[in-house]
Amino acid sequence: MLEQVRATLRFLNARGIAIVLLGCIVGVIAGALVTAMGWIVQTMHWLLFGLQPGARLSAMFSLASPWQALIPAIGGGVLGLSVAYLRWRRFRTPIDPIEANALYGGRLSMTDTFIVAGQTIISTGFGASVGLEAAYTQTGSGIASWIARKCGLRRGDVRILVGCGAGAAIAAAFGAPLTGAFYAFELIISTYSIANVAPVMAAAVSASLTTAYFGGIQLPLDLGTLPPLTASQYVPYIILGLIAGGVSISIMRLVTLVERFFSKLSVDATLRPVIGGCIVGLLGLITPQVLSSGHGGLHRELAMNYELYVVAQLFLLKLIASAVSLGSGFRGGLFFASLFLGALLGKIFAAGMGILSPEVGIDPLVAAVIGMTSLAVGVVGGPLTMTFLALESSGNLALTGVVLAAAIVSSLLVREAFGFSFSTWRFHLRGETIRGAQDIGWMRNLTVGSMMREDVRTVSGDMTVAEFRNAVPLGSTQRVIVIGPEKKYLGILVVAEVHARHPDPAGEHELIADLAKYRDTVLVPTMNVKAAAEAFSRSGSEELAVVQDFVGRKVVGLLTEGHLLRRYAEELDKVRRDISGER
């Protein structure tokens, strides 16, 4: 049965239809799972914090009881137990959709998916200041990857379907298909082309419709009617985008500093979320708006006008709560937290401009929307993603232009001054060099071991020049590898150069090991194509020996620069065809 399905998909895939149909299926599943996870977390809030049905935790003015401040710490304990179990079972660090598409051709583990989703639900369900978006995108992408691999799709199509899953999840979470689609294009697939627009849009629309059918849209941002913008107001709003970019860099660095602080404590990693939960609970006593992702708090802030000091205080408290939550080990992301913090930053900017230059007439709600998208662009990435979020939330096309301008300014500042989004920054801290979801996994898989020749000509280093000339006639081969005891690499000889040496009776007894070149430059089978190309460039040789390791230096093969460049060009052409949609 499975083989029949795969055969049908191969037939449809030749016409570009299969990936669109699978995108619709992924969208429906992602929409249903987003609805289910949102319902689970909301139910936990109702039970743990005593909320009324339909109420939001971060929209509360105060906790019903001071004892509820201990709930995040209890959640930290539960999360710590899960960390201890995973450590006991020796599970590796879960791979997220960006990393999977960049390094592994879209291959995601369902085990990783369950771990991320479960820990994120625990974290935000018990009130930690993190969002569910990490669980949404991980689940959507994980399901998509599993379906793609079961259907036997090729590498490029697997990556597209993973983007479909992540984009569908965001579309379902915000009831915004264009936002979800461009989240996939900019952050997960890392490119936009005619080949991927149809499946990604199909997935995003299907997810939005599914979530709407189940009544599970996560409080879409309804901004109502916004005032018109004048040309003179563009400059202040672009300045706001620049400020938001700088603040987003500070936020990412703050999270890193808090994480390092917790790692330096003489406390086991399983207990750190408990400490973080205590701190978040204490902040929740001041205002519950810092708890959980902040959906209710954002809507409350957009609907009401508070004094400057109140908004500034909430900004600092939410920032500390999010940094402590992530730094202490709670699972989640900064997607919605960055939207909330950006809206607060926009209101702070509007209040400040009202004091410094009241004649400009900065509207607090417009500033909140621009601050929200600009800060989110700096932290999450994706200028078009956040611009479409503003467009679909407000329905105001005139607002979209200034939002896009501010978002681009924020993105440029972060890229030039910092170089990472929050996700790629965390990869960088782990030692990875990923700057986005661009497919570089094929480059890592194209190793020296897969390209080298094993049938290499070798000669012993204790052979004399005369013996070499007899054993290796001119024209029999171009180069030979000189080896010592146990096939240890001693260098490379160019046969023509040895035969061209001036006949000298004394020189005939010279050992060929003394004539060998490139003694210090070798390759190992695990080197990728990039590292090997750099070795060829440094040495200037057209051929290099491949040794088992750098210590024993036992010769196992030979690689030519011409073959390396040809294989690199072939793989690069495959990537180009995947991007352009050529079959």
Side-chain angles (χ1 to χ4, degrees):
M1 180 65 181
L2 184 59
E3 287 301 321
Q4 292 177 343
V5 172
R6 287 177 176 173
T8 303
L9 286 172
R10 282 194 293 269
F11 173 76
L12 294 175
N13 199 38
R15 290 152 179 79
I17 301 173
I19 192 71
V20 177
L21 296 177
L22 290 176
C24 292
I25 295 171
V26 167
V28 171
I29 297 173
L33 291 175
V34 165
T35 303
M37 286 187 284
W39 179 84
I40 291 171
V41 169
Q42 191 60 30
T43 302
M44 291 175 68
H45 289 170
W46 294 341
L47 296 175
L48 295 173
F49 292 93
L51 302 184
Q52 296 297 319
R56 287 279 171 168
L57 175 60
S58 59
M60 296 174 62
F61 287 93
S62 63
L63 294 176
S65 167
W67 292 106
Q68 290 178 345
L70 295 174
I71 293 175
I74 296 172
V78 176
L79 186 68
L81 291 175
S82 72
V83 171
Y85 173 76
L86 295 175
R87 181 191 294 172
W88 174 63
R89 292 294 303 272
R90 297 183 179 178
F91 282 98
R92 57 173 172 74
T93 302
I95 296 171
D96 84 341
I98 295 177
E99 187 177 6
N101 264 7
L103 300 180
Y104 306 109
R107 297 180 66 87
L108 277 164
S109 164
M110 288 304 296
T111 302
D112 288 355
T113 298
F114 292 136
I115 290 172
V116 172
Q119 290 186 335
T120 305
I121 288 172
I122 292 171
S123 298
T124 192
F126 279 88
S129 189
V130 293
L132 270 173
E133 289 76 22
Y136 292 159
T137 56
Q138 184 79 30
T139 303
S141 298
I143 292 294
S145 179
W146 181 82
I147 291 174
R149 285 183 282 115
K150 287 296 181 182
C151 295
L153 298 186
R154 60 182 186 173
R155 181 188 184 97
D157 289 339
V158 174
R159 295 182 71 254
I160 290 176
L161 207 62
V162 167
C164 289
I170 294 298
F174 292 94
L178 288 174
T179 300
F182 276 86
Y183 180 89
F185 295 142
E186 293 186 297
L187 300 175
I188 308 300
I189 304 174
S190 200
T191 187
Y192 172 87
S193 71
I194 299 301
N196 58 35
V197 65
V200 171
M201 284 302 305
V205 172
S206 298
S208 296
L209 293 175
T210 301
T211 310
Y213 175 79
F214 287 114
I217 292 178
Q218 305 295 299
L219 280 181
L221 303 175
D222 185 9
L223 304 176
T225 303
L226 297 174
L229 295 173
T230 62
S232 62
Q233 294 174 327
Y234 269 59
V235 173
Y237 288 134
I238 290 175
I239 293 174
L240 172 57
L242 195 65
I243 294 172
V247 171
S248 64
I249 295 173
S250 301
I251 290 172
M252 290 184 279
R253 290 200 176 276
L254 176 62
V255 172
T256 303
L257 290 174
V258 173
E259 195 169 41
R260 288 175 178 171
F261 169 77
F262 275 98
S263 65
K264 290 180 180 178
L265 293 178
S266 300
V267 178
D268 191 76
T270 58
L271 297 178
R272 293 171 194 165
V274 178
I275 299 173
C278 290
I279 297 173
V280 172
L282 291 174
L283 295 175
L285 283 175
I286 302 175
T287 171
Q289 289 188 75
V290 304
L291 300 177
S292 193
S293 59
H295 282 79
L298 175 59
H299 284 75
R300 185 173 127 187
E301 290 302 318
L302 291 176
M304 304 178 72
N305 289 318
Y306 292 101
E307 296 292 333
L308 175 59
Y309 78 92
V310 176
V311 179
Q313 180 190 52
L314 178 57
F315 178 87
L316 291 174
L317 292 175
K318 179 64 178 178
L319 175 57
I320 295 170
S322 296
V324 168
S325 296
L326 291 171
S328 62
F330 281 102
R331 177 77 70 175
L334 281 176
F335 191 110
F336 206 91
S338 64
L339 293 174
F340 191 10
L341 289 169
L344 295 173
L345 179 65
K347 286 210 165 187
I348 293 171
F349 177 80
M353 287 295 293
I355 297 171
L356 297 175
S357 183
E359 67 277 2
V360 177
I362 299 296
D363 184 86
L365 187 56
V366 174
V369 174
I370 294 172
M372 176 181 73
T373 53
S374 300
L375 187 65
V377 165
V379 173
V380 180
L384 289 175
T385 300
M386 299 307 168
T387 301
F388 278 112
L389 178 60
L391 173 62
E392 292 181 293
S393 300
S394 67
N396 190 322
L397 189 59
L399 179 64
T400 306
V402 69
V403 167
L404 180 59
I408 290 174
V409 168
S410 173
S411 178
L412 284 173
L413 176 63
V414 173
R415 186 177 66 183
E416 296 300 324
F418 192 61
F420 301 92
S421 67
F422 182 65
S423 296
T424 55
W425 172 239
R426 296 177 77 81
F427 296 147
H428 172 73
L429 295 176
R430 286 184 359 220
E432 291 285 357
T433 56
I434 305 172
R435 295 287 180 140
Q438 296 90 349
D439 189 9
I440 60 172
W442 64 270
M443 191 181 298
R444 295 191 176 191
N445 294 333
L446 192 59
T447 62
V448 168
S450 66
M451 295 183 289
M452 70 180 187
R453 288 170 39 203
E454 296 182 6
D455 56 332
V456 295
R457 183 78 179 268
T458 60
V459 294
S460 176
D462 57 7
M463 184 181 290
T464 64
V465 171
E467 291 172 338
F468 178 85
R469 286 171 174 167
N470 292 329
V472 186
L474 186 63
S476 61
T477 185
Q478 290 185 339
R479 291 174 177 82
V480 295
I481 297 178
V482 183
I483 58 174
E486 299 181 355
K487 298 184 69 175
K488 185 174 182 179
Y489 175 75
L490 298 179
I492 293 179
L493 280 177
V494 179
V495 176
E497 290 181 359
V498 177
H499 280 273
R501 288 176 62 84
H502 190 274
D504 182 358
E508 292 295 302
H509 299 287
E510 185 179 5
L511 296 180
I512 61 169
D514 297 331
L515 306 179
K517 297 181 176 182
Y518 315 117
R519 300 181 185 186
D520 299 325
T521 305
V522 291
L523 307 174
V524 293
T526 55
M527 273 186 176
N528 61 40
V529 63
K530 181 180 178 181
E534 290 173 352
F536 276 109
S537 178
R538 288 195 305 270
S539 68
S541 175
E542 296 178 1
E543 294 178 315
L544 286 176
V546 183
V547 299
Q548 199 168 51
D549 55 63
F550 289 116
V551 179
R553 294 167 68 91
K554 180 180 178 181
V555 175
V556 295
L558 182 74
L559 180 63
T560 66
E561 186 177 25
H563 181 65
L564 176 140
L565 295 176
R566 185 166 58 253
R567 289 288 295 116
Y568 178 79
E570 289 172 357
E571 294 298 325
L572 200 61
D573 187 57
K574 288 181 183 178
V575 173
R576 181 194 61 78
R577 291 199 304 269
D578 282 337
I579 292 174
S580 63
E582 295 179 18
R583 299 284 166 176

